[in-house]
Amino acid sequence: SPEQNKAIVTRFNKECIEEGRPASFEELLADDVINHSAPAGMPNGKESFYHFLNNILRQGFPDLKVEILEQVAEQDIVTTRKIINATHTGEIFGIKPSNKKVEIHVIDMIRLKDGRYAEHWGQSNFTDVLNVVAG
């Protein structure tokens, strides 16, 4: 149901994005998940989610918290508008910690299949945030 799908997306945001739990990635991502937002030439599938969230984002912003502002669900799609609040206390893409507080604004769409992420599309201001912390 749409409410169950919203709960799955909310759980992913808490357990995978905020907490980086490997078991939750395994449970909530389909084996053949497609990340339409992965940069060209980068890994896709489960590894793209895990790599970006745990090895890049959480390394640069280890205190990150996700605030879900709105969710809309219809059939097997959940769209979420959220803000990731964090402090740049770790290195990211060679940028040394600046201790700047940031807000990453995100809108993403998730297609779920059998209670797991099957496809992801997303837009964010992440590049702008990197420019701010780089100074």
Side-chain angles (χ1 to χ4, degrees):
S1 75
E3 290 306 312
Q4 289 171 318
N5 288 344
K6 286 165 55 173
I8 292 165
V9 172
T10 298
R11 183 175 165 216
F12 181 90
N13 278 269
K14 179 70 173 169
E15 295 178 16
C16 296
I17 298 175
E18 279 189 12
E19 299 171 3
R21 294 187 196 176
S24 296
F25 282 90
E26 284 301 314
E27 185 179 339
L28 297 173
L29 295 171
D31 291 336
D32 58 350
V33 63
I34 300 168
N35 183 2
H36 296 283
S37 300
M42 294 301 290
N44 206 315
K46 279 185 181 182
E47 63 274 10
S48 75
F49 287 89
Y50 188 87
H51 175 73
F52 177 75
L53 294 173
N54 278 347
N55 299 335
I56 297 174
L57 188 65
R58 295 185 77 247
Q59 292 298 309
F61 305 98
D63 68 342
L64 67 86
K65 295 289 181 215
V66 179
E67 178 185 0
I68 293 178
L69 303 172
E70 293 178 272
Q71 281 187 312
V72 177
E74 186 174 304
Q75 297 174 12
D76 61 352
I77 301 280
V78 177
T79 300
T80 303
R81 185 172 68 89
K82 61 191 171 190
I83 296 175
I84 299 172
N85 292 288
T87 311
H88 178 224
T89 57
E91 187 170 320
I92 186 166
F93 295 120
I95 303 168
K96 299 290 183 204
S98 67
N99 294 311
K100 293 179 181 176
K101 294 199 177 299
V102 299
E103 287 187 347
I104 305 168
H105 295 260
V106 180
I107 297 175
D108 59 19
M109 292 179 67
I110 307 299
R111 185 177 67 79
L112 294 135
K113 182 178 178 189
D114 299 326
R116 300 170 91 188
Y117 278 41
E119 292 183 86
H120 167 266
W121 297 264
Q123 295 289 318
S124 77
N125 67 331
F126 186 62
T127 302
D128 295 336
V129 168
L130 290 177
N131 290 333
V132 166
V133 297

